[in-house]
Every structure is written in structure tokens, then in C-alpha cells.
Amino acid sequence: MTERIDHTLRNTWTPEGAKAAHLPPHALRWLRSRIGLAEVATPVGPASLHTVADSALPPAALAALVAVVGTAGVLTDRDARLGRSGGLSYVDLMRHRGGGEPAVPDAVVLPADPEQVQRVLEVCAEHGVAVVPFGGGTSVVGGVNPLRGDKASVIALDLLRLDKLVSVDPISHTAVFQAGVRAPDAERLLEAHGFTLGHFPQSFERATLGGFAATRSAGQASAGYGRFEDMVHALRLATPAGELRLGGSPASAAGPDLKQLVIGSEGAFGVITELTLRVREAPTFHHYEGLVLDGWERGALALRALAQQRVLADVTRLSDMDETEASLELAGGWKGKALRAYLRTRGVVAPCLLILGWETTSPRELATRRQAALRALREFSPVRLGRPLGEAWRKGRFGGPRQRDLLLDAGVCVETLETATDWAGLAALRTGVRGALTDSLSTAGSRPVVMCHVSHAYETGASLYFTVLSPRAEQAPLEQWQRAKIAACEAIVNHAGTITHHHAVGVDHAPWLAAEVGELGLDVLRAVKARLDPTGVLNPGKLVSPGERP
Amino acid sequence: MTERIDHTLRNTWTPEGAKAAHLPPHALRWLRSRIGLAEVATPVGPASLHTVADSALPPAALAALVAVVGTAGVLTDRDARLGRSGGLSYVDLMRHRGGGEPAVPDAVVLPADPEQVQRVLEVCAEHGVAVVPFGGGTSVVGGVNPLRGDKASVIALDLLRLDKLVSVDPISHTAVFQAGVRAPDAERLLEAHGFTLGHFPQSFERATLGGFAATRSAGQASAGYGRFEDMVHALRLATPAGELRLGGSPASAAGPDLKQLVIGSEGAFGVITELTLRVREAPTFHHYEGLVLDGWERGALALRALAQQRVLADVTRLSDMDETEASLELAGGWKGKALRAYLRTRGVVAPCLLILGWETTSPRELATRRQAALRALREFSPVRLGRPLGEAWRKGRFGGPRQRDLLLDAGVCVETLETATDWAGLAALRTGVRGALTDSLSTAGSRPVVMCHVSHAYETGASLYFTVLSPRAEQAPLEQWQRAKIAACEAIVNHAGTITHHHAVGVDHAPWLAAEVGELGLDVLRAVKARLDPTGVLNPGKLVSPGERP
């Protein structure tokens, strides 16, 4: 891989050089009328908008860091620091639209290999400098916000130089990657060997493999390829107390699975530097198609049948009626109208779009698996809409976040959140979270759109992914969303949902972690952190330093 | 379930009331000539063989325990205590044949529910009494040996009263069990609801659900149903520091998966009291068949193809040539001869038996999956031997351990051990371990049989399960085996195998755990233990108190 020293300010979901999303005028008109949105424009402000304090990194620490990574490996300029000033949550993005000042690290440090990461951590522990591991910077929960905790300074430890495919084992179907490799690069590197990871979350275009592991990521094809934690065969974790090397067997009963303690540790226990990942033969046959089920309840029953009969498509994704309506409206005019008319003739009153996608290495496997899925769906009377809708979804699969940039420009409060629970509790959880968001964001003149889909189904339950569109409050827009988020989190906890299915804990969910693992569970995490990071330099304020529930 | 206060001495693999295994005279003759075994008889000695010291439980602790579980819940009689004096490893079993004195707990405590378990732990922590959680007592690694550590007394905390199915959720396909439920009882209880767990390790007839979780068990049908850790939806762990309640979502990114820190913790962090397990619709169609592949290398390639094409049968088990030969010889006379003759006519020079078994809820699924597997096998030219051989294996699937009782009677040193590694390293690992065992156990007049099979195949690698048969040394028979075991463990570590794929760590593997997770990994485990068990009463000497590598 080429070494790219990325100094650019990250303040939108659209990657540099990538095509911006398209939001047709009729779509915006529909949205304005639907949620009661005034004609406003709130573009991203210039970087000069922000006041950035001088770097507080002590000279001795700076010198020690330079001794490890070289002069070019420590950046203290304004742009580099602003570029690692947070992730891509609504709140993060709003800070670039005049919504407040982001926290900015005192330096960006760019180690070149796992050994340099290890030494950087030792330097930071010695000098009392906080360290925020930074990969793709796509956290939507404040996971990479450069908080100082009780330290006087903080660095962003950017892993972009750890961008190598170290080795591929075609016999064992594993590949060793450095942790800073971005997902698209990983796929390109593996393609040369005929393999794929099969991990395609919405953050795919920017996120790194280390980030996937640190946050327990789940991709859109998780039903076929598993969650990221299922792909990790072995890993290396640099910690202030030394290096952990874990895993390497396909399975083991040698005590608790410590890999699973590192996966999801969000930089609070150490920095993942290298990953041995299970890979699979790259698929040569793709088939994506769209179906419609009449009503959310029936749709959920259908998903449950697929999951419990173990015939899920690799991508299995069910939108509720609101999301289906919005997709059709935001996608295009006459097509959506024609489709709705067709569905009415088929007697569908509450259309819920189901996308099914298979990726296989043989047409036979594709046909067999597809037939099994369609057979399981039969009793739920799906209306099959064919491949174009499925292919359209596939082509636009990473477009959702980019579209958010345009919605932000147009004055929309747009954000997502997600949870999961067992099948028996899924309906109540959805109702509870929808209600909490709607209540919190409704005003005299406007009512939000709260859309929901299931993108990850399991034998015992499923995830729920919510997207919220609301007119942005003119006064205190961040607080508007934060109130809604708190209401949603309380609803999740009260309905026995997990506080996060794949976005991780970060800062935003930390106050609710105790509700999930108990105070004693938090204490266990703290005990592990105390052993690996005794001076507490690693990612302050994330995961194990939760405040009170608001 | 009925409450069974089991006072019997556990000293054989054959459960009370169960049919003893059959070992025909010709099989014993073959074995004697094969390994050079003299005609000796070493039956189980009477319980009176053992000197059992009086209970050292302090009267205050006894009174406090009685206050929690009642008088009937604390047993201090000789038989009850001898009955929890260890597991069922060769060394454990030999102690009942004059091979040394077993460690005996000072009392057996029988709490009736999770709350009583919690209070028993608090009493033990307060009085400095060591606690060994005891389920089915089938550990083969010293995991339930009642060691005192630095405490003056030790109790066996037997979970046999926690024998209830608490609830079944037919929507979410989960069932809540108390941890002391034995596997056959769990299957019977679930059968009434149309469900199965699908977990069938060789210890099935005696082992408990809590024990499966505590040891990261893997059953014979793991390719279909997953390892036990894949089935755990939620759990409760009683610890001296309080109760941990973990899990409940089908998947989560709410930090590290703490469930996976409890699974495999072997009673060193706490006592698992309740488990919410994923269940599946009980299969109504079974198909088991036998095939033969010519040579171990070809067999391993065939397994790899099945695993990497994801068409493993639910039970997929490949024996090497030595195990295939021994199975045929130990099974019966003319049938084995006829089979060998037939295989010769088919040109098979190194027969390796492959058992494939499917369990499904529809004939269509059975046919589809079986066809896919047979298609993947075609290039490896299997000789299909039909269903009788497969059904014979299924009927005898729990018979292996019972047969060991008869072999022990006949003066054989018989033990098993297991490991796993990735596909690229599998051949070298097998050769290394076989060589170490053979070298260690060979004498001027005898040479052991070292048999091996793969019973758990994964996309990235597979397990290896070794069974050793050797004439027992007249002098120091325990040391004979311990030397061989040490040699095997060193070979495993040197060939990058895991020290245990499903038998757990216990006492026997503890010295090699550092080779697997590093000293820092052990320190993490110790930090967790220190938080949950600050006075160190839980299962001393297991998992996290390893000695030096011998």
C-alpha cells in the first residue's frame, strides 16, 4: 500500500474523491412536507471557523515520540489535529456546521508498525499523555473523540501507516493484516488471492480492520459471513503493560476466550496492531432481489422463519413501512409511484421492503439456498419485485451515510441508532424506541420520521436499526438530538434491548453499560483495564468510564 | 426433576445402572499382541482401600453452611466425600485401582437454587474455605479435584439440586436451565417442547450444562449445532463479589463479550448457576453413514473441503488408520475381516474411516445437505460403506469411555488428549504428538497404539483427538502416563496447537496456558479473578494458578 499521510479535515460522510450522494428536488420537497421542514441551508463551515488551542503536548513527550516514529510521524499542525477531532456522529458533524467546538488532540502520531505502536504507548504512559487510537474515524458514538480524562494532553494515534497485508494462508483460509488497513484496501488485497473478508458495514469505505475488531462491528452480509468477531482467528494488542498475542487455533477450551475481551474493547485496553482473519473464497455469483411483505409483524415473522430454519440470505434486510416509504420517495419519482400502484393491485396495504442477497462460488449453491429461502417465505405471501430493486440496493449500499451530508445541508436533524433483542421482545422494543424518539422530537409544527429496519437476524433474535429525520431545532440543535438519544436509550434499556448491536459504546452509550453488564461487570472491565493500562492513558472517557445515566 | 442425593462413589466411566461396555475376547487378544500386554487384572478396589481423613471444615463454617442449605444439604460422610474426590481422567481412575490416594473434600454442599449458591460462596469467602464447583464430575484434566490451595479446608459444591428447566421461549428458541441439569435430562425436558440442544460430547451421559459452559465443551455434532459457547444466550454467575448476569441479546457491541470470559472459567471466577441456551427444533430425520478414505492426508484434505465449502455434516469424524484398524478389531471378528477384504478389492491400502451424520427436520434438507457433502467428497474417491456402519457409530457414541473401564481392568494404560490448530499445521501437529507419545511409552517389549481422529472441523482448522493404549507399567504407573502427557503437551505447544480444544485446562494443562495466552494473558485472568474472588477460595490450583512447565 502507498503511504498516505492524510491531513484532510474529516467532516462529512462522503470520502474525498468519492461521488456525492444525490438527493433529487422532489425528494427534498417530500421530506419538507412530511416532517414540516423550513427552507434553510446549513453547509459545512470553513476550518477557520474553529479556534484550535496550541498543542499542549509537553516538549519531553514530543521528543520521546519523535524518537520512536521520526519527525514526519508526529503532526502538530492545525489541520492534522482538527482532522482527528472526532468521528461522524450527528453531533460530531454538527460541530463543523457551527454547532460547537470539537475536542482537538494535541498531536497526531503515526507509528509505522506494531513495534512502534508498542513504544508509543510506553512513551505516553511514561509521560502521562492520553492516547486515542484512530483508524477510519467513523465512530458514531464518540469513540474517537480526543478526550483528555485526567491527563494534561492527548494524542491521536493514527494507524494509517499500518496498512499492510502481512501474509495469506491459502490452506487455512486466513490472512494476517496490520490493523490500519481500510476495508476496501483489504478487499482489493485479498482479491489478488481469490479471497474476500465479506465484511461490509455502512462505514466500509473508510473504516479499518482494527476499528472493526475494536468495536465488534457487524456488516450487511453478517448472516452469511458472520459478525467481525467471528472472523478473528488471532490478534496482537499493544498495551502499556506489554503485548498480548491471542488466538491462532480454530477453537479452544484453554480458558476464557481472551480474544473476545479484546474485541469490543474500543481502545480502552490497548491498541490492536495486527489481525489474523478468516477469509473465504471470493464469490463469483451474486443475486440480489427485492420483495415486499405486507406489514411489519408479518415481515418479522418471515425473518424469524428464515433465521430459525437457517436459510437466511447472506444479506437479509427488512425495512418497516416508514423506511420503505421514505426509500421510495427519496429514490425517485415515477418509479416509486408505479411500485406503490402495483402493490395496491396485489392487495398490499403496509409494504415492507425485504432485500435478499446471496453471494456464492457456484450457481448450484445460489439456486439451492435461494430456493430454500423462498420456500420458507411462501407462507408469508411475499410479493417478489425482482432483481433491479435488489441490485439498486446493492449499488447504493454505502450511499446512506453520504446522503446524510445532503440532509444536514438542508437543515435536517438526521441520525441513526440501533439495538437488538430476542424475537419475543422485538415488537415491544421497536414500539418503545419509536415512541420515545417521536415523542422527544415532535413539536407543534413538526413530527419526525422514525424509520426502522432489521439488518441482522439470528436464531434467537434480531437487531433493530433506526433512522431519524426531524427538522433541526434553531436553538440548541445538539441538545435537541441529545434529548432524543437519551429517551431512546432509556427505552432500549427498559425493553431489554442491548444498548448497541454494532455501533459500540464510546462516550454516548457508556452511561447505559451498567444496565447491561451490571456494576460488577463494569468492575471486571475496570480490573482488566487497570492491569493493561495502569496509568489510564488509553482512550479516556470511553467504555469503562461511564457517567451517571442522564 | 426428582431430587437425587447421589452418595455413590464415582470411580468408573460407566454410569450406575447403565449397560457396561463389551470387549470381546478376540479384541483383547488382538490388543495384547499389538501392544505387548501381559495377562493382568487390575479391578477397581473397594472404597475401604482409601484412608480418608476426618473433615477439616471448621465448626463455624459448617454451621454457617447449614444455615444456608439446611442439614441435609451438607454431607460430611466418607462416601459422599470420596464420591467428589476427582474426575475421570486416567490418573483419577487409577487412584481407585491402588494408584494413590485421591484428594477428598471436607464436605459436600448441596445448594438448592442460585441464591443459595451465592450465599454458600459468601460463607466460604468469610470463613476461608476453598470451593470446588462439582457438576457431573467428568473432568479429565483434574478440573474438579478438591485442592485446598492456601486454605485449610475445601468443600465440593455439588450442583445436583439445581436440576430445573426454568422456562422455554418457543418464539426466541431459548430455554433457561439451572446449571446442574444433566445433559440427558436437558434433552428429555426439551423433547416435551419439541426442541433439542444438540450438544453430545462423550461425557453426555453424566455431564451438566453448567459444566459444559465452565469448560467450553464441544459436542460430537459441533459442526451442526456449534460449540457450547455458541449456544449460550445468557448466564448467571455467582461469585464471592456478587452475582454477574450477562447476555440476553442475540448479539451485541456493548463492549467485550463478558459471557466469553465466564465460559471456560472453570469455576475459578465463580459458579455458573443458570444458563439461557439457544435451542433448536428437534430433528425428525437422522442419517448416519460410514465412508472410507485412502490415507490420512487424503482424509484431511476431504475434511478441509467440507469445512471450507461449508457443507460439513452435523457429525463429521475422520479416524486415522490406527484408529480405524483398532475400531474394526475391537468391534468384532468376521465383520472387520470382511470389510478389510472388501477395501483391498477397492484398492484402499490405508483405510481411514469417515463418519457423517445429519439430523434434520425435513427429508429435503437432509437430501440437499448430504448431496452437497458427497459432491465435495467426490474428488477424494471415498468408498461408501453405507448406513449400518454409521448407525453402529451413533449407537455406540457414548460407549468409548465405558470401554475404557474394561481396558483399565485388563491392565491397559488408556487415556485421551486433544488439541487443534489451523489446516496448514495439522499434519505436523499430528506427527509431533504421535511421535512424542510413542517415544515416551515405548519400551523394549512394547509399543503403544496411538490413534487419532478429527471430530471438529472448522473453516480455518480442525481438532485432533488422540487415544493411547499402552501396557501399564508395573512400577509407578501414574508417572508412566504423566511423562507421556508432558511429552505430548510439549509437542502440542511446539507445533502451535492449542493445549486443549475441548477438555479444558484444569490442573493438567495449567503449566502450558502461558505458552498460549502469554504471561500477560494470565495476568489478565488473575486480575479478573482477584476482582471476583478476592480471597481466592474458588477452585484453587485450576486455570490461573499454573505451576512451572515440567
Side-chain angles (χ1 to χ4, degrees), chain A residues 483-511:
Chain A
R483 273 195 310 275
K485 172 80 177 175
I486 289 168
C489 289
E490 288 296 320
I492 286 171
V493 165
N494 293 337
H495 289 87
T498 177
I499 196 64
T500 172
H501 169 268
H502 62 268
H503 280 173
V505 177
V507 172
D508 295 1
H509 294 142

PDB file of all heavy atoms in Angstrom, chain A residues 483-511:
ATOM      1  N   ARG A 483     -31.367  14.962  23.736  1.00  0.00           N
ATOM      2  CA  ARG A 483     -32.569  14.579  24.500  1.00  0.00           C
ATOM      3  C   ARG A 483     -33.248  13.367  23.862  1.00  0.00           C
ATOM      4  O   ARG A 483     -33.673  12.443  24.551  1.00  0.00           O
ATOM      5  CB  ARG A 483     -33.563  15.746  24.542  1.00  0.00           C
ATOM      6  CG  ARG A 483     -33.343  16.727  25.678  1.00  0.00           C
ATOM      7  CD  ARG A 483     -34.566  17.641  25.871  1.00  0.00           C
ATOM      8  NE  ARG A 483     -35.008  18.260  24.618  1.00  0.00           N
ATOM      9  CZ  ARG A 483     -34.497  19.397  24.115  1.00  0.00           C
ATOM     10  NH1 ARG A 483     -33.533  20.033  24.763  1.00  0.00           N
ATOM     11  NH2 ARG A 483     -34.960  19.885  22.994  1.00  0.00           N
ATOM     12  N   ALA A 484     -33.342  13.384  22.535  1.00  0.00           N
ATOM     13  CA  ALA A 484     -33.989  12.267  21.847  1.00  0.00           C
ATOM     14  C   ALA A 484     -33.185  10.973  22.046  1.00  0.00           C
ATOM     15  O   ALA A 484     -33.748   9.896  22.271  1.00  0.00           O
ATOM     16  CB  ALA A 484     -34.123  12.590  20.359  1.00  0.00           C
ATOM     17  N   LYS A 485     -31.878  11.096  21.972  1.00  0.00           N
ATOM     18  CA  LYS A 485     -30.999   9.939  22.135  1.00  0.00           C
ATOM     19  C   LYS A 485     -31.152   9.341  23.538  1.00  0.00           C
ATOM     20  O   LYS A 485     -31.217   8.114  23.701  1.00  0.00           O
ATOM     21  CB  LYS A 485     -29.555  10.370  21.870  1.00  0.00           C
ATOM     22  CG  LYS A 485     -28.499   9.337  22.187  1.00  0.00           C
ATOM     23  CD  LYS A 485     -28.363   8.299  21.099  1.00  0.00           C
ATOM     24  CE  LYS A 485     -27.222   7.334  21.440  1.00  0.00           C
ATOM     25  NZ  LYS A 485     -27.127   6.228  20.480  1.00  0.00           N
ATOM     26  N   ILE A 486     -31.195  10.214  24.532  1.00  0.00           N
ATOM     27  CA  ILE A 486     -31.377   9.734  25.909  1.00  0.00           C
ATOM     28  C   ILE A 486     -32.709   9.001  26.038  1.00  0.00           C
ATOM     29  O   ILE A 486     -32.786   7.917  26.621  1.00  0.00           O
ATOM     30  CB  ILE A 486     -31.287  10.910  26.901  1.00  0.00           C
ATOM     31  CG1 ILE A 486     -29.841  11.409  26.988  1.00  0.00           C
ATOM     32  CG2 ILE A 486     -31.806  10.506  28.288  1.00  0.00           C
ATOM     33  CD1 ILE A 486     -29.685  12.745  27.705  1.00  0.00           C
ATOM     34  N   ALA A 487     -33.747   9.584  25.451  1.00  0.00           N
ATOM     35  CA  ALA A 487     -35.061   8.933  25.521  1.00  0.00           C
ATOM     36  C   ALA A 487     -35.017   7.562  24.856  1.00  0.00           C
ATOM     37  O   ALA A 487     -35.581   6.581  25.368  1.00  0.00           O
ATOM     38  CB  ALA A 487     -36.108   9.825  24.845  1.00  0.00           C
ATOM     39  N   ALA A 488     -34.324   7.480  23.727  1.00  0.00           N
ATOM     40  CA  ALA A 488     -34.227   6.200  23.027  1.00  0.00           C
ATOM     41  C   ALA A 488     -33.443   5.181  23.859  1.00  0.00           C
ATOM     42  O   ALA A 488     -33.835   4.014  23.958  1.00  0.00           O
ATOM     43  CB  ALA A 488     -33.564   6.400  21.668  1.00  0.00           C
ATOM     44  N   CYS A 489     -32.334   5.622  24.445  1.00  0.00           N
ATOM     45  CA  CYS A 489     -31.515   4.705  25.264  1.00  0.00           C
ATOM     46  C   CYS A 489     -32.316   4.185  26.445  1.00  0.00           C
ATOM     47  O   CYS A 489     -32.236   2.990  26.787  1.00  0.00           O
ATOM     48  CB  CYS A 489     -30.246   5.406  25.745  1.00  0.00           C
ATOM     49  SG  CYS A 489     -29.053   5.713  24.426  1.00  0.00           S
ATOM     50  N   GLU A 490     -33.082   5.061  27.083  1.00  0.00           N
ATOM     51  CA  GLU A 490     -33.903   4.615  28.216  1.00  0.00           C
ATOM     52  C   GLU A 490     -34.929   3.585  27.743  1.00  0.00           C
ATOM     53  O   GLU A 490     -35.192   2.594  28.419  1.00  0.00           O
ATOM     54  CB  GLU A 490     -34.593   5.811  28.875  1.00  0.00           C
ATOM     55  CG  GLU A 490     -33.645   6.705  29.654  1.00  0.00           C
ATOM     56  CD  GLU A 490     -33.009   6.007  30.853  1.00  0.00           C
ATOM     57  OE1 GLU A 490     -33.699   5.244  31.550  1.00  0.00           O
ATOM     58  OE2 GLU A 490     -31.792   6.212  31.076  1.00  0.00           O
ATOM     59  N   ALA A 491     -35.518   3.834  26.575  1.00  0.00           N
ATOM     60  CA  ALA A 491     -36.500   2.885  26.040  1.00  0.00           C
ATOM     61  C   ALA A 491     -35.837   1.543  25.745  1.00  0.00           C
ATOM     62  O   ALA A 491     -36.402   0.476  26.024  1.00  0.00           O
ATOM     63  CB  ALA A 491     -37.144   3.454  24.779  1.00  0.00           C
ATOM     64  N   ILE A 492     -34.644   1.593  25.206  1.00  0.00           N
ATOM     65  CA  ILE A 492     -33.917   0.345  24.903  1.00  0.00           C
ATOM     66  C   ILE A 492     -33.686  -0.448  26.184  1.00  0.00           C
ATOM     67  O   ILE A 492     -33.978  -1.646  26.266  1.00  0.00           O
ATOM     68  CB  ILE A 492     -32.577   0.666  24.195  1.00  0.00           C
ATOM     69  CG1 ILE A 492     -32.844   1.090  22.749  1.00  0.00           C
ATOM     70  CG2 ILE A 492     -31.630  -0.525  24.252  1.00  0.00           C
ATOM     71  CD1 ILE A 492     -31.630   1.641  22.019  1.00  0.00           C
ATOM     72  N   VAL A 493     -33.160   0.222  27.184  1.00  0.00           N
ATOM     73  CA  VAL A 493     -32.857  -0.462  28.447  1.00  0.00           C
ATOM     74  C   VAL A 493     -34.143  -0.998  29.083  1.00  0.00           C
ATOM     75  O   VAL A 493     -34.179  -2.127  29.591  1.00  0.00           O
ATOM     76  CB  VAL A 493     -32.114   0.507  29.395  1.00  0.00           C
ATOM     77  CG1 VAL A 493     -32.106  -0.009  30.809  1.00  0.00           C
ATOM     78  CG2 VAL A 493     -30.694   0.744  28.888  1.00  0.00           C
ATOM     79  N   ASN A 494     -35.198  -0.218  29.016  1.00  0.00           N
ATOM     80  CA  ASN A 494     -36.451  -0.654  29.639  1.00  0.00           C
ATOM     81  C   ASN A 494     -37.114  -1.806  28.890  1.00  0.00           C
ATOM     82  O   ASN A 494     -37.968  -2.493  29.453  1.00  0.00           O
ATOM     83  CB  ASN A 494     -37.435   0.521  29.737  1.00  0.00           C
ATOM     84  CG  ASN A 494     -36.947   1.570  30.705  1.00  0.00           C
ATOM     85  OD1 ASN A 494     -36.135   1.260  31.598  1.00  0.00           O
ATOM     86  ND2 ASN A 494     -37.397   2.805  30.542  1.00  0.00           N
ATOM     87  N   HIS A 495     -36.743  -2.001  27.644  1.00  0.00           N
ATOM     88  CA  HIS A 495     -37.305  -3.105  26.866  1.00  0.00           C
ATOM     89  C   HIS A 495     -36.298  -4.222  26.640  1.00  0.00           C
ATOM     90  O   HIS A 495     -36.432  -4.999  25.699  1.00  0.00           O
ATOM     91  CB  HIS A 495     -37.838  -2.595  25.524  1.00  0.00           C
ATOM     92  CG  HIS A 495     -39.089  -1.775  25.667  1.00  0.00           C
ATOM     93  ND1 HIS A 495     -39.068  -0.424  25.907  1.00  0.00           N
ATOM     94  CD2 HIS A 495     -40.400  -2.118  25.625  1.00  0.00           C
ATOM     95  CE1 HIS A 495     -40.305   0.034  25.991  1.00  0.00           C
ATOM     96  NE2 HIS A 495     -41.137  -0.970  25.836  1.00  0.00           N
ATOM     97  N   ALA A 496     -35.298  -4.303  27.509  1.00  0.00           N
ATOM     98  CA  ALA A 496     -34.336  -5.408  27.486  1.00  0.00           C
ATOM     99  C   ALA A 496     -33.587  -5.512  26.168  1.00  0.00           C
ATOM    100  O   ALA A 496     -33.196  -6.607  25.746  1.00  0.00           O
ATOM    101  CB  ALA A 496     -35.023  -6.743  27.804  1.00  0.00           C
ATOM    102  N   GLY A 497     -33.376  -4.390  25.494  1.00  0.00           N
ATOM    103  CA  GLY A 497     -32.521  -4.402  24.306  1.00  0.00           C
ATOM    104  C   GLY A 497     -31.073  -4.194  24.723  1.00  0.00           C
ATOM    105  O   GLY A 497     -30.792  -3.699  25.814  1.00  0.00           O
ATOM    106  N   THR A 498     -30.153  -4.586  23.854  1.00  0.00           N
ATOM    107  CA  THR A 498     -28.761  -4.221  24.113  1.00  0.00           C
ATOM    108  C   THR A 498     -28.594  -2.758  23.725  1.00  0.00           C
ATOM    109  O   THR A 498     -29.215  -2.283  22.761  1.00  0.00           O
ATOM    110  CB  THR A 498     -27.769  -5.100  23.332  1.00  0.00           C
ATOM    111  OG1 THR A 498     -26.438  -4.622  23.593  1.00  0.00           O
ATOM    112  CG2 THR A 498     -28.008  -5.066  21.818  1.00  0.00           C
ATOM    113  N   ILE A 499     -27.751  -2.058  24.458  1.00  0.00           N
ATOM    114  CA  ILE A 499     -27.597  -0.627  24.221  1.00  0.00           C
ATOM    115  C   ILE A 499     -26.957  -0.365  22.849  1.00  0.00           C
ATOM    116  O   ILE A 499     -27.109   0.720  22.290  1.00  0.00           O
ATOM    117  CB  ILE A 499     -26.808   0.049  25.374  1.00  0.00           C
ATOM    118  CG1 ILE A 499     -26.973   1.557  25.331  1.00  0.00           C
ATOM    119  CG2 ILE A 499     -25.362  -0.352  25.361  1.00  0.00           C
ATOM    120  CD1 ILE A 499     -28.391   2.040  25.559  1.00  0.00           C
ATOM    121  N   THR A 500     -26.302  -1.373  22.299  1.00  0.00           N
ATOM    122  CA  THR A 500     -25.765  -1.242  20.937  1.00  0.00           C
ATOM    123  C   THR A 500     -25.495  -2.615  20.342  1.00  0.00           C
ATOM    124  O   THR A 500     -24.860  -3.460  20.976  1.00  0.00           O
ATOM    125  CB  THR A 500     -24.470  -0.402  20.914  1.00  0.00           C
ATOM    126  OG1 THR A 500     -23.889  -0.475  19.592  1.00  0.00           O
ATOM    127  CG2 THR A 500     -23.449  -0.896  21.915  1.00  0.00           C
ATOM    128  N   HIS A 501     -25.996  -2.801  19.137  1.00  0.00           N
ATOM    129  CA  HIS A 501     -25.776  -4.067  18.433  1.00  0.00           C
ATOM    130  C   HIS A 501     -24.489  -4.050  17.620  1.00  0.00           C
ATOM    131  O   HIS A 501     -23.827  -5.058  17.482  1.00  0.00           O
ATOM    132  CB  HIS A 501     -26.974  -4.361  17.524  1.00  0.00           C
ATOM    133  CG  HIS A 501     -26.740  -5.489  16.569  1.00  0.00           C
ATOM    134  ND1 HIS A 501     -26.259  -5.300  15.296  1.00  0.00           N
ATOM    135  CD2 HIS A 501     -26.909  -6.833  16.715  1.00  0.00           C
ATOM    136  CE1 HIS A 501     -26.153  -6.489  14.689  1.00  0.00           C
ATOM    137  NE2 HIS A 501     -26.536  -7.417  15.522  1.00  0.00           N
ATOM    138  N   HIS A 502     -24.118  -2.901  17.063  1.00  0.00           N
ATOM    139  CA  HIS A 502     -22.860  -2.863  16.302  1.00  0.00           C
ATOM    140  C   HIS A 502     -22.207  -1.484  16.215  1.00  0.00           C
ATOM    141  O   HIS A 502     -21.188  -1.349  15.555  1.00  0.00           O
ATOM    142  CB  HIS A 502     -23.063  -3.448  14.889  1.00  0.00           C
ATOM    143  CG  HIS A 502     -24.046  -2.699  14.038  1.00  0.00           C
ATOM    144  ND1 HIS A 502     -25.381  -3.029  13.998  1.00  0.00           N
ATOM    145  CD2 HIS A 502     -23.905  -1.644  13.190  1.00  0.00           C
ATOM    146  CE1 HIS A 502     -26.002  -2.208  13.161  1.00  0.00           C
ATOM    147  NE2 HIS A 502     -25.145  -1.356  12.668  1.00  0.00           N
ATOM    148  N   HIS A 503     -22.746  -0.483  16.881  1.00  0.00           N
ATOM    149  CA  HIS A 503     -22.109   0.837  16.859  1.00  0.00           C
ATOM    150  C   HIS A 503     -21.076   1.017  17.968  1.00  0.00           C
ATOM    151  O   HIS A 503     -20.314   1.973  17.932  1.00  0.00           O
ATOM    152  CB  HIS A 503     -23.162   1.954  16.972  1.00  0.00           C
ATOM    153  CG  HIS A 503     -23.852   2.252  15.678  1.00  0.00           C
ATOM    154  ND1 HIS A 503     -24.920   3.107  15.594  1.00  0.00           N
ATOM    155  CD2 HIS A 503     -23.648   1.799  14.416  1.00  0.00           C
ATOM    156  CE1 HIS A 503     -25.338   3.180  14.332  1.00  0.00           C
ATOM    157  NE2 HIS A 503     -24.591   2.389  13.608  1.00  0.00           N
ATOM    158  N   ALA A 504     -21.080   0.146  18.953  1.00  0.00           N
ATOM    159  CA  ALA A 504     -20.151   0.193  20.086  1.00  0.00           C
ATOM    160  C   ALA A 504     -20.627   1.182  21.168  1.00  0.00           C
ATOM    161  O   ALA A 504     -21.686   1.804  21.024  1.00  0.00           O
ATOM    162  CB  ALA A 504     -18.721   0.505  19.651  1.00  0.00           C
ATOM    163  N   VAL A 505     -19.819   1.305  22.212  1.00  0.00           N
ATOM    164  CA  VAL A 505     -20.222   2.062  23.408  1.00  0.00           C
ATOM    165  C   VAL A 505     -19.764   3.512  23.330  1.00  0.00           C
ATOM    166  O   VAL A 505     -20.569   4.437  23.456  1.00  0.00           O
ATOM    167  CB  VAL A 505     -19.653   1.387  24.685  1.00  0.00           C
ATOM    168  CG1 VAL A 505     -20.000   2.212  25.918  1.00  0.00           C
ATOM    169  CG2 VAL A 505     -20.195  -0.039  24.810  1.00  0.00           C
ATOM    170  N   GLY A 506     -18.465   3.678  23.111  1.00  0.00           N
ATOM    171  CA  GLY A 506     -17.909   5.024  23.010  1.00  0.00           C
ATOM    172  C   GLY A 506     -18.244   5.862  24.227  1.00  0.00           C
ATOM    173  O   GLY A 506     -18.281   5.381  25.357  1.00  0.00           O
ATOM    174  N   VAL A 507     -18.487   7.145  23.979  1.00  0.00           N
ATOM    175  CA  VAL A 507     -18.920   8.061  25.041  1.00  0.00           C
ATOM    176  C   VAL A 507     -20.440   7.975  25.193  1.00  0.00           C
ATOM    177  O   VAL A 507     -20.975   7.956  26.301  1.00  0.00           O
ATOM    178  CB  VAL A 507     -18.520   9.508  24.681  1.00  0.00           C
ATOM    179  CG1 VAL A 507     -19.140  10.491  25.665  1.00  0.00           C
ATOM    180  CG2 VAL A 507     -17.002   9.654  24.657  1.00  0.00           C
ATOM    181  N   ASP A 508     -21.113   7.884  24.045  1.00  0.00           N
ATOM    182  CA  ASP A 508     -22.562   8.083  24.040  1.00  0.00           C
ATOM    183  C   ASP A 508     -23.334   7.003  24.799  1.00  0.00           C
ATOM    184  O   ASP A 508     -24.373   7.288  25.401  1.00  0.00           O
ATOM    185  CB  ASP A 508     -23.082   8.140  22.597  1.00  0.00           C
ATOM    186  CG  ASP A 508     -22.547   9.364  21.842  1.00  0.00           C
ATOM    187  OD1 ASP A 508     -21.775  10.135  22.446  1.00  0.00           O
ATOM    188  OD2 ASP A 508     -22.895   9.531  20.659  1.00  0.00           O
ATOM    189  N   HIS A 509     -22.863   5.760  24.725  1.00  0.00           N
ATOM    190  CA  HIS A 509     -23.617   4.681  25.360  1.00  0.00           C
ATOM    191  C   HIS A 509     -23.072   4.293  26.729  1.00  0.00           C
ATOM    192  O   HIS A 509     -23.656   3.438  27.403  1.00  0.00           O
ATOM    193  CB  HIS A 509     -23.621   3.444  24.447  1.00  0.00           C
ATOM    194  CG  HIS A 509     -24.379   3.671  23.171  1.00  0.00           C
ATOM    195  ND1 HIS A 509     -23.969   3.167  21.962  1.00  0.00           N
ATOM    196  CD2 HIS A 509     -25.520   4.360  22.910  1.00  0.00           C
ATOM    197  CE1 HIS A 509     -24.828   3.523  21.015  1.00  0.00           C
ATOM    198  NE2 HIS A 509     -25.766   4.263  21.560  1.00  0.00           N
ATOM    199  N   ALA A 510     -21.946   4.885  27.109  1.00  0.00           N
ATOM    200  CA  ALA A 510     -21.305   4.486  28.361  1.00  0.00           C
ATOM    201  C   ALA A 510     -22.243   4.565  29.576  1.00  0.00           C
ATOM    202  O   ALA A 510     -22.221   3.672  30.423  1.00  0.00           O
ATOM    203  CB  ALA A 510     -20.030   5.298  28.587  1.00  0.00           C
ATOM    204  N   PRO A 511     -23.112   5.588  29.661  1.00  0.00           N
ATOM    205  CA  PRO A 511     -23.966   5.650  30.860  1.00  0.00           C
ATOM    206  C   PRO A 511     -24.945   4.478  30.981  1.00  0.00           C
ATOM    207  O   PRO A 511     -25.501   4.266  32.054  1.00  0.00           O
ATOM    208  CB  PRO A 511     -24.729   6.974  30.677  1.00  0.00           C
ATOM    209  CG  PRO A 511     -23.879   7.788  29.760  1.00  0.00           C
ATOM    210  CD  PRO A 511     -23.247   6.803  28.837  1.00  0.00           C
TER     211      PRO A 511
END
